[in-house]
């Protein structure tokens, strides 16, 4: 939950809207305690026009983009 909050705060500060998908969402839906679901990354969907802004914001915070798929 802390990792997700950190990332969402980063997105808010960068003024980039994102949709969180996959593990970060299912952890809250499928587990009684979200801490039971190991979260090592955050999967999101971003508008194409916001990708560079978000990537710069991520790197400025010392984080990294693990994978970028322009089609998905």
């Amino acid at each position: 939950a802390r990792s997700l909050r950190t990332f969402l705060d980063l997105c808010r500060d960068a003024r980039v809207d994102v949709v969180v998908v996959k593990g970060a969402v299912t952890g809250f839906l499928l587990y009684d305690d979200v801490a039971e679901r190991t979260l090592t990354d955050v999967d999101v969907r971003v508008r194409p026009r916001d990708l560079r802004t978000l990537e710069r914001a991520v790197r400025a915070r010392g984080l990294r983009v693990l994978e970028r798929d322009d089609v998905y």
Side-chain angles (χ1 to χ4, degrees):
R2 189 173 348 134
S3 298
L4 180 57
R5 173 55 38 213
T6 297
F7 179 75
L8 292 176
D9 288 346
L10 177 152
C11 294
R12 183 201 62 227
D13 293 347
R15 293 191 163 99
V16 173
D17 293 325
V18 298
V19 175
V20 180
V21 297
K22 296 172 56 175
V25 174
T26 59
F28 288 97
L29 297 174
L30 301 177
Y31 293 85
D32 291 330
D33 180 357
V34 71
E36 295 175 19
R37 168 70 165 81
T38 303
L39 183 64
T40 59
D41 65 350
V42 177
D43 297 291
V44 298
R45 299 297 171 263
V46 181
R47 290 182 183 103
R49 68 176 185 245
D50 293 332
L51 281 172
R52 286 186 186 185
T53 299
L54 183 56
E55 287 179 334
R56 281 193 298 270
V58 164
R59 290 188 178 104
R61 293 250 182 123
L63 304 172
R64 59 192 175 114
V65 175
L66 298 178
E67 184 176 334
R68 174 181 167 171
D69 187 337
D70 293 339
V71 175
Y72 187 60

